Amino acid sequence: FKIKKITKDLIDKVIKETKSKKITYVGSSKGGYAALLFGLQKENSNIIIGAPQYYLGDYLNRSDNMNTLVNIVGNVTQDKIDYLNEILPRTIEDSKNNNVKLYIHFSSKEHTYEEHIRYLIDDLKRYKYEHKLEVLEYTNHSEVSIYFPKFLLNTIESN
């Protein structure tokens, strides 16, 4: 978890040096996870994300991500996967009073919705986060790279 601390320290340093008043975190897919993680913890931030992962442990516990999982937790156990899965849900609960606004783009027809996004949206509703959704119907997760940029630009322009 050194990377998490180093990243947070870098974000805090840039915010301080630039004297930023309005902070917007942006990312899609794995980057959406990171934007959520760091953006939720900063008061009055905006988070613009596309098709994010929500349960980090489940996402990394796949053969194509196994090396990353091992690098993060060492010996892989179900307890460690469960711990990683709870990072964002805990952060959402702990940050519910931070006045964060979320803008979320996703497809209801690709696997990320059923595996991650629907649970994210349930938790945002549970803790009364202000959020706006753009729901499309493409079937391949990689298509987020086609549709998210327009959503991002439109969201920035409207704020």
Side-chain angles (χ1 to χ4, degrees):
F1 295 98
K2 289 179 187 176
I3 293 171
K4 179 181 172 187
K5 181 182 178 347
I6 291 167
T7 303
K8 184 181 180 320
D9 290 347
L10 176 62
I11 292 168
D12 291 342
K13 179 182 177 191
V14 170
I15 290 170
K16 183 177 179 180
E17 287 177 358
T18 60
K19 298 179 176 125
S20 299
K21 303 260 188 283
K22 187 174 185 180
I23 312 300
T24 301
Y25 295 81
V26 176
S28 65
S29 196
K30 293 178 288 297
Y33 178 94
L36 274 169
L37 179 63
F38 295 108
L40 287 166
Q41 297 174 61
K42 188 63 74 177
E43 289 183 4
N44 303 311
S45 64
N46 293 314
I47 303 170
I48 308 170
I49 53 177
Q53 277 75 40
Y54 189 52
Y55 294 121
L56 183 61
D58 289 347
Y59 173 71
L60 293 176
N61 192 28
R62 298 181 356 202
S63 61
D64 53 335
N65 296 319
M66 193 55 66
N67 287 339
T68 302
L69 179 59
V70 170
N71 285 335
I72 291 172
V73 301
N75 185 32
V76 177
T77 65
Q78 188 60 50
D79 285 345
K80 291 176 182 178
I81 291 168
D82 293 344
Y83 175 82
L84 292 176
N85 282 341
E86 285 302 312
I87 291 173
L88 276 180
R90 259 194 326 273
T91 302
I92 285 176
E93 182 178 5
D94 294 346
S95 304
K96 64 186 173 221
N97 296 317
N98 282 353
N99 193 37
V100 172
K101 295 178 184 169
L102 294 109
Y103 305 86
I104 307 168
H105 160 90
F106 61 93
S107 168
S108 60
K109 301 289 185 188
E110 62 102 352
H111 73 93
T112 306
Y113 175 74
E114 286 297 326
E115 294 171 12
H116 299 276
I117 297 167
R118 69 185 184 114
Y119 302 105
L120 165 64
I121 293 168
D122 287 347
D123 284 348
L124 294 175
K125 289 177 181 176
R126 178 179 305 121
Y127 295 108
K128 298 178 175 37
Y129 276 83
E130 183 176 339
H131 63 282
K132 294 183 182 176
L133 306 176
E134 178 182 69
V135 185
L136 299 184
E137 293 188 346
Y138 50 87
T139 57
N140 191 322
H141 181 68
S142 66
E143 291 178 273
V144 71
S145 66
I146 297 168
Y147 298 104
F148 179 67
K150 183 177 180 183
F151 173 76
L152 172 61
L153 291 175
N154 289 341
T155 302
I156 291 170
E157 287 174 2
S158 68
N159 287 302

